[in-house]
Amino acid sequence: MDSGQLIGIIIGIVVVLAIVAVAVMVSRRRKVAADRNRAAEMREQAKADELTAREREAKATRAEADAQQAELEAERLRQEARSRQEEAEKVRSGAQEQLRKADELDPDVVTSEHDDAAAETPTRRSLRSEPVSGEPGAGEPVPGARVSGEERNPDDVTQADTAQTHTTDTNPPDDRPRNL
């Protein structure tokens, strides 16, 4: 081998090494540029995720505020309901007191629960109830019932007479005329 060939081989090797070095540098630059692009995309995605996270936090904060508002409204409604319940209790007790006073004034109503005649005298409920058609009202004599001073034949007693107690004898007198 001659020195020209040796120089040609060395130059060829240097050229190949230079080409390889240039190729490596170009590939590194491409890789660096690709990494930069990928990093920029990742930063943009991170910013978008950060915005999404902030939006979700804001929605969560609004939801929490709405929940607190709803709790306050519910508590206000509970207090209003309690207030109305107390008012209803006062009205109910006032009505009960008024009924009690009316019962005390009414001579036809027995106000003592321990009175022996309480079972035979009309109560507030029986005095207020409307008589059903065909049935006598409170204080009216029952047809076929025994009226004081009237004699009856024991054979004339009917089933209605046996069910009827002697309430017509023990009822206080009222202003309605009796049918004899």
Side-chain angles (χ1 to χ4, degrees):
M1 283 209 167
D2 133 40
S3 68
Q5 285 181 337
L6 190 58
I7 292 179
I9 292 178
I10 292 177
I11 291 177
I13 292 176
V14 169
V15 170
V16 169
L17 286 177
I19 292 174
V20 170
V22 170
V24 168
M25 284 181 17
V26 169
S27 73
R28 279 193 176 177
R29 284 183 186 167
R30 285 184 182 169
K31 184 178 185 267
V32 168
D35 287 347
R36 282 185 184 135
N37 288 338
R38 205 171 326 133
E41 288 174 4
M42 292 173 82
R43 285 186 187 103
E44 288 177 19
Q45 184 63 38
K47 286 180 182 179
D49 290 346
E50 180 69 25
L51 287 176
T52 303
R54 286 182 183 173
E55 288 175 2
R56 289 183 180 178
E57 286 175 351
K59 286 180 182 178
T61 303
R62 275 188 294 236
E64 180 68 25
D66 290 345
Q68 288 177 353
Q69 180 66 31
E71 288 174 2
L72 290 173
E73 181 67 16
E75 182 60 30
R76 185 188 64 76
L77 289 174
R78 277 189 215 100
Q79 288 176 353
E80 185 177 327
R82 281 191 290 263
S83 172
R84 288 185 180 179
Q85 184 67 28
E86 289 171 1
E87 288 175 15
E89 293 288 332
K90 288 177 184 176
V91 169
R92 181 177 292 120
S93 66
Q96 292 291 336
E97 181 65 20
Q98 190 172 9
L99 285 174
R100 186 189 62 77
K101 287 180 180 178
D103 288 346
E104 287 177 359
L105 290 175
D106 191 353
D108 294 336
V109 176
V110 176
T111 57
S112 171
E113 293 179 7
H114 302 292
D115 193 355
D116 292 335
E120 296 180 5
T121 56
T123 61
R124 175 179 11 143
R125 182 169 285 149
S126 67
L127 287 175
R128 290 191 183 138
S129 65
E130 294 291 324
V132 179
S133 64
E135 292 183 10
E140 293 182 16
V142 176
R146 186 174 147 228
V147 179
S148 61
E150 182 181 332
E151 293 295 324
R152 294 196 63 192
N153 186 354
D155 297 330
D156 291 342
V157 176
T158 64
Q159 200 172 20
D161 291 339
T162 57
Q164 174 71 24
T165 58
H166 301 289
T167 58
T168 55
D169 293 339
T170 58
N171 280 344
D174 54 4
D175 295 337
R176 288 183 255 164
R178 289 191 163 176
N179 295 336
L180 295 177

